[in-house]
Amino acid sequence: MSLADVTCHVLTYPFPEDFVAWYPYIKPEVMRGDEHWLPCLRRVIHEDTPGVTDRMIAARRASGDWCGVVWIQVPETCPELAHFGWFYVEDEVRGAGVGARIIETCLSTLAAEGVQMLMLPTQLGNERAIGMYYRRGWRLSITDPDGGVWMVREPAGFWQEYFTPDPNRPIRASEPQRSDWVALDYLLSRPAAAVRLLPLGLTGSRRFVSFTHDWDAGDHAVARQGGRPAALAAARADDEGSLMDVFGLDRRAMAVAAELLGRSIPQPRAEVAITDSVRRGALEDAGMRLADVHEREVGGVPISLARYVR
């Protein structure tokens, strides 16, 4: 097959019927072992999500058959940010340059719209994919204990400035919106983000608060400035009341989210690494007080935790 016989198309909702029939990631036989992703991926294909623009950059052969695709998602509240995921090229056209053409089409489309931060998840063992992304400007950001990897493509230092709230403008918190998810995932992808939230089991997976997280299983508050998410507080009920945690890059934003959530749940408490001065300060700013310090294993490692109550 010649690459000249392949064209790339930028598809938006509603997606063409023949594309939906072909799209591999909504088929149980393709997603064996990963069926938990099916509801999310089917929602992307079949629904127009408020506050989010979903696109498929798809490759098509001259015969009319689809042969490759990548999904990109841009939230209206953070139009400089995009999520790149579920990249697929059919076996019979691999090595012909189809994947490279899809990526280049994706990058040029997003650049024309002003997107400057682009994140993607992959696996540490997928060396070929990591190398391909690395050659196109992505860099490893953070790896979880199960081998999941975040890679990001962005101007140096841009994300710190972008997600640091203006000290002279108000920060307000409310319940999460679907348009928050991409930004919250991006904050989680940064090594500088406080991620003690994750081992306590308050989110659906170690690196995603978007796709598989059950937002109905707990209580949440998102702090925003000008619509842009800056911090997330989460809590789940247990025998002692409500176990709560908060993450973000900015202490003030974290405190705003934690304060709203702490007032709306019964018997809130938080357990924070004794060395985590930013999170401890945010909880204190939110009206929590130190109750005790104790030892606990987190991820198989003993750690000193400060217990906060309201």
Side-chain angles (χ1 to χ4, degrees), residues 140-205:
L140 291 174
S141 172
I142 198 166
T143 303
D144 73 36
D146 297 325
V149 172
W150 275 113
M151 299 186 74
V152 296
R153 187 180 192 271
E154 61 199 358
F158 185 81
W159 70 273
Q160 292 99 326
E161 180 179 353
Y162 188 82
F163 284 110
T164 299
D166 184 338
N168 299 312
R169 295 175 59 201
I171 297 174
R172 297 182 174 88
S174 62
E175 293 184 355
Q177 305 297 318
R178 181 63 183 86
S179 55
D180 295 331
W181 293 1
V182 179
L184 293 174
D185 274 343
Y186 199 76
L187 287 173
L188 272 177
S189 78
R190 310 310 318 205
V195 293
R196 275 272 297 115
L197 174 75
L198 302 177
L200 293 181
L202 298 182
T203 59
S205 77

Side-chain angles (χ1 to χ4, degrees), residues 1-304:
M1 186 204 73
S2 169
L3 189 59
D5 296 327
V6 175
T7 54
C8 275
H9 304 262
V10 181
L11 308 179
T12 57
Y13 181 86
F15 300 107
E17 291 184 6
D18 64 332
F19 172 82
V20 173
W22 167 83
Y23 188 67
Y25 292 124
I26 57 173
K27 298 177 179 178
E29 63 270 23
V30 174
M31 300 297 288
R32 287 177 184 150
D34 289 316
E35 289 87 353
H36 57 287
W37 296 105
L38 285 172
C40 168
L41 295 166
R42 286 171 174 164
R43 185 169 60 245
V44 168
I45 290 295
H46 295 296
E47 298 178 17
D48 187 15
T49 308
V52 175
T53 300
D54 289 304
R55 295 188 190 85
M56 298 289 173
I57 309 298
R60 194 170 203 168
R61 288 177 278 199
S63 63
D65 297 328
W66 300 101
C67 59
V69 65
V70 71
W71 164 41
I72 54 176
Q73 188 174 60
V74 180
E76 292 179 0
T77 53
C78 298
E80 295 84 1
L81 169 65
H83 182 279
F84 173 110
W86 299 103
F87 186 33
Y88 176 83
V89 176
E90 291 192 337
D91 290 341
E92 58 265 33
V93 298
R94 288 184 182 176
V98 173
R101 177 166 289 182
I102 291 172
I103 292 177
E104 294 307 322
T105 302
C106 172
L107 294 179
S108 61
T109 299
L110 293 175
E113 297 177 357
V115 172
Q116 299 193 58
M117 299 176 290
L118 185 58
M119 63 179 173
L120 65 85
T122 186
Q123 291 293 314
L124 193 59
N126 195 350
E127 296 180 1
R128 180 177 179 180
I130 289 175
M132 177 180 66
Y133 296 134
Y134 196 89
R135 289 191 298 273
R136 287 167 174 81
W138 274 276
R139 295 295 180 262
L140 291 174
S141 172
I142 198 166
T143 303
D144 73 36
D146 297 325
V149 172
W150 275 113
M151 299 186 74
V152 296
R153 187 180 192 271
E154 61 199 358
F158 185 81
W159 70 273
Q160 292 99 326
E161 180 179 353
Y162 188 82
F163 284 110
T164 299
D166 184 338
N168 299 312
R169 295 175 59 201
I171 297 174
R172 297 182 174 88
S174 62
E175 293 184 355
Q177 305 297 318
R178 181 63 183 86
S179 55
D180 295 331
W181 293 1
V182 179
L184 293 174
D185 274 343
Y186 199 76
L187 287 173
L188 272 177
S189 78
R190 310 310 318 205
V195 293
R196 275 272 297 115
L197 174 75
L198 302 177
L200 293 181
L202 298 182
T203 59
S205 77
R206 288 184 176 274
R207 287 289 164 231
F208 290 108
V209 295
S210 54
F211 310 116
T212 60
H213 179 50
D214 184 358
W215 290 94
D216 295 325
D219 297 280
H220 306 82
V222 174
R224 305 180 189 84
Q225 187 175 83
R228 183 180 303 169
L232 170 70
R236 57 178 170 82
D238 59 18
D239 293 340
E240 299 180 49
S242 302
L243 178 61
M244 172 180 160
D245 212 335
V246 61
F247 82 86
L249 300 181
D250 179 80
R251 172 173 167 172
R252 176 174 163 232
M254 292 165 67
V256 170
E259 196 275 335
L260 175 65
L261 188 62
R263 285 192 286 107
S264 64
I265 56 177
Q267 297 178 275
R269 74 184 192 284
E271 295 184 340
V272 181
I274 196 72
T275 56
D276 191 342
S277 59
V278 174
R279 182 180 268 102
R280 292 183 63 189
L283 290 171
E284 291 166 3
D285 294 345
M288 306 281 282
R289 60 179 178 81
L290 179 64
D292 62 66
V293 176
H294 59 280
E295 294 287 321
R296 179 177 166 185
E297 269 200 10
V298 177
V301 177
I303 187 170
S304 295

